[in-house]
């Protein structure tokens, strides 16, 4: 009997460990110290199971005590919504107990032709081989689940949790029937109930993975909406800037002519000096970057002004004359996001190290866009897309640029090396003809 007691203790430990693992996958807001919040439910669950097993005759009825207890302890130790705690507990109970037992007993019943029990100390118990197989299956199922769920970060909606709970209650009913028949009624042949429980466990897991996929698609749709809204807002901004610039440039040309007349008039020296100073102050419009694309001119002028305000050495050599197949919204995405990222990186450097270079134009059968800037030596962890605090609203710049380049069959690549960050975009020219 000592062997069976040892196997039972090991089984309880693996069940508790399953709770520990599932809590780590789903619950992210501990009420106490992280180690305490994660260990307390698992340890207290293991103690309760051992007490109920060795000091009571509840048999299968203990299911209705230990499952709610695991749920309450999880909720008590974490601030996660109840639906998260509920799904956590359901998955733990399936992976840590129901699935391995149902599959193990069904498999060994087939191997032993239904002869799955033996007499030990006057009691009818399952053969020790079944315990061992069940434990091995539990470890395998738990390892697979951990590999799939360890980076779980999707939103569990209330309706999703309700559907999963309904499925769980159905399989719990069959599992309880099997356990109660064996432990309380001494009915040895529970193969049909075990097979049904196995099928329902698989159904629950498939349903959960489907729910996970739906959550992923739901979040991707939300992110796409945010990206589209950002791009439209950025595009509208540059459209407004373009209209404003056209009005200002028209006023500038008239003003320049008036000032030239005033400088050459018979006025006083003070009047002519004032006219010359005014003309010098508006001379920036003569230094306007002319790329061959008026929309791109506005973007580069706007970014150059922002760079100067932040004491960044900004230079642009761009020739987009004849490049008329890229839509204005995509030009805004490619140049606007790329230069914004470069400005953000330069802000973290000393003023003397703040440099941005933009080169773009047609090279044979490709349009080439190069944005290069100095950057801090340390690199971001691979899992992070941005240094900004709000990772949902920011960090889409590179993703949007890649999508815009791929829209025209192009590529977008980045390289960070020796304190320089280089963004390179290559887009094939339709028709593939050289200039």
């Amino acid at each position: 009997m000592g062997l069976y007691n040892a196997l039972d203790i090991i089984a309880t430990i693996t069940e508790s460990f399953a709770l520990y693992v599932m809590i780590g996958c789903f619950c992210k807001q501990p009420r106490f110290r992280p180690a305490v919040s994660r260990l307390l439910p698992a340890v207290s669950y293991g103690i309760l199971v051992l007490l109920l097993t060795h000091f009571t005759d509840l048999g299968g009825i203990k299911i209705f005590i230990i499952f709610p207890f695991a749920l309450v302890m999880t909720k008590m130790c974490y601030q996660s919504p109840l639906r998260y705690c509920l799904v956590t507990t359901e998955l733990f109970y399936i992976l840590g107990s129901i699935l391995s037992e149902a599959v193990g007993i069904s498999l060994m019943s087939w191997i032993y032709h239904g002869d799955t029990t033996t007499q030990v100390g006057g009691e009818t118990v399952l053969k020790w081989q079944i315990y061992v197989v069940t434990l091995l299956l539990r470890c395998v199922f738990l390892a697979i689940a951990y590999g799939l769920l360890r980076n779980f970060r999707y939103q569990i909606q209330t309706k999703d949790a309700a559907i999963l709970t309904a499925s769980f209650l159905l399989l719990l009913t069959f599992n309880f029937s099997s356990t109660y028949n064996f432990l309380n009624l001494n009915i040895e042949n529970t193969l049909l109930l075990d097979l049904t429980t196995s099928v329902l466990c698989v159904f629950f897991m498939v349903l959960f993975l489907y729910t996970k996929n739906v959550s992923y698609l739901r979040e991707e749709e939300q992110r796409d909406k945010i990206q589209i809204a950002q791009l439209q807002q950025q595009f509208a901004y540059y459209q407004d800037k373009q209209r404003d610039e056209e009005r200002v440039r028209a006023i500038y040309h008239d003003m320049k002519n008036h000032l030239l007349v005033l400088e050459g008039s018979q006025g006083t020296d003070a009047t002519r000096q004032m006219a010359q100073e005014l003309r010098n102050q508006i001379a920036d419009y003569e230094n306007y970057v002319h790329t061959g694309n008026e929309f791109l001119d506005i973007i580069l002028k706007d970014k150059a002004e922002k760079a100067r305000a932040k004491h960044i050495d900004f230079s642009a050599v761009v020739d987009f004359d004849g490049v008329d197949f890229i839509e204005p919204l995509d030009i805004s995405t490619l140049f606007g996001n790329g230069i914004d990222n470069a400005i953000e990186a330069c802000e973290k450097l000393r003023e003397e190290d703040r440099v941005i270079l933009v080169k773009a134009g047609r090279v044979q059968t490709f349009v080439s866009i190069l944005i290069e800037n100095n950057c801090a030596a340390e690199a971001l962890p691979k899992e992070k897309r941005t240094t900004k605090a709000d990772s949902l609203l920011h960090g889409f710049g590179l993703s949007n640029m890649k999508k815009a380049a791929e829209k025209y069959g192009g590529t977008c690549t980045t390289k960070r090396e020796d304190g320089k960050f280089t963004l390179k975009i290559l887009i094939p020219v339709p028709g593939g003809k050289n200039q």
Side-chain angles (χ1 to χ4, degrees):
M1 198 65 183
L3 173 63
Y4 285 91
N5 288 333
L7 289 172
D8 185 67
I9 292 174
I10 295 173
T12 302
I13 292 174
T14 56
E15 283 185 39
S16 302
F17 182 69
L19 179 57
Y20 176 85
V21 170
M22 289 299 105
I23 285 176
C25 292
F26 292 94
C27 300
K28 309 298 182 183
Q29 299 172 299
R31 295 183 188 274
F32 317 115
R33 293 174 58 186
V36 174
S37 291
R38 196 168 174 185
L39 280 171
L40 187 58
V43 173
S44 58
Y45 171 85
I47 293 173
L48 178 65
V49 171
L50 289 174
L51 290 174
L52 293 177
T53 301
H54 295 282
F55 297 98
T56 70
D57 295 322
L58 293 175
I61 298 175
K62 69 180 182 182
I63 290 176
F64 299 108
I65 299 176
I66 60 177
F67 177 78
F69 177 81
L71 174 60
V72 170
M73 289 299 298
T74 302
K75 181 60 182 172
M76 186 182 76
C77 293
Y78 284 87
Q79 301 179 43
S80 303
L82 179 61
R83 61 182 181 275
Y84 279 80
C85 296
L86 189 59
V87 171
T88 299
T89 312
E90 290 168 353
L91 280 169
F92 133 72
Y93 203 65
I94 289 174
L95 295 168
S97 178
I98 298 178
L99 181 59
S100 57
E101 291 179 0
V103 173
I105 293 173
S106 300
L107 178 63
M108 297 304 287
S109 179
W110 174 73
I111 293 175
Y112 287 115
H113 305 288
D115 183 18
T116 58
T117 61
T118 186
Q119 293 292 322
V120 177
E123 295 183 19
T124 301
V125 295
L126 292 172
K127 292 181 176 180
W128 69 266
Q129 293 90 339
I130 297 178
Y131 276 89
V132 173
V133 169
T134 299
L135 287 171
L136 292 175
L137 287 173
R138 182 173 300 163
C139 294
V140 171
F141 293 150
L142 192 58
I144 294 173
Y146 177 72
L148 293 173
L149 304 176
R150 60 181 175 180
N151 295 321
F152 188 90
R153 61 182 184 276
Y154 308 107
Q155 293 291 326
I156 299 177
Q157 302 292 335
T158 302
K159 61 180 181 180
D160 298 331
I163 294 172
L164 289 171
T165 299
S167 173
F168 176 77
L169 291 176
L170 179 62
L171 77 88
L172 189 64
T173 301
F174 281 90
N175 175 249
F176 169 72
S177 299
S178 174
T179 305
Y180 186 81
N181 283 346
F182 182 76
L183 296 178
N184 296 73
L185 302 180
N186 297 320
I187 299 175
E188 298 180 16
N189 188 8
T190 59
L191 178 59
L192 181 59
L193 291 172
D194 291 328
L195 286 173
T196 305
T197 301
S198 301
V199 171
L200 290 174
C201 284
V202 173
F203 174 75
F204 179 93
M205 296 304 299
V206 171
L207 185 62
F208 172 77
L209 293 175
Y210 172 77
T211 301
K212 173 175 173 285
N213 187 55
V214 169
S215 298
Y216 169 77
L217 294 176
R218 189 187 296 130
E219 291 184 17
E220 283 296 303
E221 181 182 4
Q222 180 65 21
R223 291 181 180 182
D224 286 343
K225 289 180 180 178
I226 293 174
Q227 291 183 59
I228 291 171
Q230 286 180 326
L231 292 175
Q232 289 176 339
Q233 185 180 23
Q234 187 181 56
F235 181 59
Y237 168 77
Y238 288 125
Q239 283 183 316
D240 290 340
K241 290 282 290 184
Q242 185 177 26
R243 286 191 289 267
D244 291 342
E245 289 291 333
E246 288 172 354
R247 288 194 295 268
V248 172
R249 286 162 69 182
I251 294 171
Y252 159 73
H253 286 297
D254 289 340
M255 185 179 293
K256 177 184 175 183
N257 292 331
H258 295 328
L259 290 173
L260 287 171
V261 171
L262 188 58
E263 279 187 64
S265 69
Q266 299 300 318
T268 65
D269 291 340
T271 301
R272 286 193 293 272
Q273 183 178 355
M274 184 181 299
Q276 186 176 9
E277 289 177 355
L278 288 172
R279 193 158 59 86
N280 290 336
Q281 290 176 10
I282 63 173
D284 283 345
Y285 282 93
E286 292 184 341
N287 297 327
Y288 205 84
V289 178
H290 296 283
T291 66
N293 184 297
E294 290 189 359
F295 193 75
L296 182 53
D297 293 347
I298 300 300
I299 294 175
L300 292 178
K301 182 176 184 297
D302 181 64
K303 300 306 179 187
E305 289 175 354
K306 290 181 179 178
R308 281 196 297 269
K310 298 178 185 295
H311 307 286
I312 298 172
D313 182 4
F314 180 90
S315 60
V317 181
V318 180
D319 181 7
F320 251 48
D321 190 26
V323 182
D324 54 2
F325 66 93
I326 303 179
E327 297 177 7
L329 179 59
D330 297 319
I331 290 176
S332 171
T333 300
L334 294 170
F335 284 91
N337 287 323
I339 298 174
D340 281 342
N341 290 342
I343 291 174
E344 181 185 340
C346 285
E347 285 184 275
K348 300 178 175 64
L349 304 175
R350 297 175 302 176
E351 287 190 13
E352 57 267 28
D353 295 329
R354 299 178 180 180
V355 178
I356 296 176
L357 171 64
V358 180
K359 295 178 66 176
R362 182 166 174 170
V363 180
Q364 296 182 354
T365 59
F366 287 89
V367 172
S368 171
I369 301 172
L370 176 73
I371 301 176
E372 186 177 85
N373 60 273
N374 290 343
C375 61
E378 66 274 9
L380 286 175
K382 291 182 180 179
E383 65 272 13
K384 290 190 177 180
R385 296 174 301 175
T386 176
T387 58
K388 296 187 177 76
D390 191 342
S391 60
L392 182 61
L393 296 178
H394 300 291
F396 293 117
L398 184 57
S399 173
N400 289 337
M401 285 185 281
K402 286 183 177 179
K403 289 179 181 178
E406 290 169 357
K407 174 181 176 180
Y408 300 94
T411 60
C412 176
T413 58
T414 60
K415 182 174 70 173
R416 184 170 191 160
E417 189 175 64
D418 298 330
K420 286 189 180 294
F421 184 87
T422 304
L423 168 71
K424 189 169 185 180
I425 298 167
L426 283 177
I427 299 175
V429 176
K433 294 181 180 180
N434 295 330
Q435 283 186 315

